[in-house]
Amino acid sequence: QVQLVESGGGLAQPGGSLRLSCAASGETADYGSAGWFRQAPGKEREGVSCISSSDGHTYYADSVKGRFTISRDNAKHMVYLQMNSLKPEDTAVYYCAADVMYYCSDYELDPGDFGSWGQGTQVTVSS
């Protein structure tokens, strides 16, 4: 089981930027893929982005494509989500997720494919 801890959430103005970080630790700190999900009040959890540990392949939801960038540092067991050009509709709790078996491909993310989750970090975009 991988333990995940997110940081970097907060308040940003529309058009602003935030960088989320996710630290992985535990018996299996190496994962097949890591991803970011978000959940706004009253809405289902939505897959935002993922990245493969082996080859760095990435996926982005259409809603964030061109604005968000996922990256990883395998040596430090860290995953990042750089969020630019933020919009009020990006407001949500953002969760880091990982799974040792899952390979990040070009398909929409399913929360059921990820076995390890962080506690979440709030991102609020408002003027």
Side-chain angles (χ1 to χ4, degrees):
Q1 191 81 7
V2 180
Q3 285 80 50
L4 303 171
V5 178
E6 305 97 334
S7 61
L11 176 65
Q13 292 189 339
S17 298
L18 284 173
R19 187 195 195 204
L20 304 183
S21 299
C22 175
S25 63
E27 292 185 0
T28 308
D30 294 322
Y31 45 83
S33 293
W36 289 94
F37 290 75
R38 66 186 182 186
Q39 189 164 19
K43 294 189 176 181
E44 293 187 353
R45 192 165 294 191
E46 172 192 18
V48 174
S49 180
C50 67
I51 186 166
S52 167
S53 177
S54 59
D55 61 6
H57 184 81
T58 58
Y59 161 87
Y60 296 95
D62 288 342
S63 58
V64 306
K65 201 171 294 182
R67 300 187 298 122
F68 291 10
T69 303
I70 191 170
S71 61
R72 90 260 193 242
D73 185 332
N74 287 349
K76 296 182 178 179
H77 302 298
M78 296 291 296
V79 179
Y80 307 97
L81 186 69
Q82 178 67 43
M83 304 186 296
N84 298 329
S85 302
L86 283 164
K87 304 175 181 180
E89 51 263 42
D90 294 319
T91 296
V93 177
Y94 283 71
Y95 298 90
C96 178
D99 195 87
V100 296
M101 297 297 296
Y102 182 73
Y103 176 74
C104 176
S105 59
D106 297 324
Y107 297 101
E108 185 175 326
L109 297 179
D110 183 341
D113 288 328
F114 291 82
S116 299
W117 291 83
Q119 80 289 351
T121 184
Q122 177 69 47
V123 170
T124 302
V125 183
S126 175
S127 56

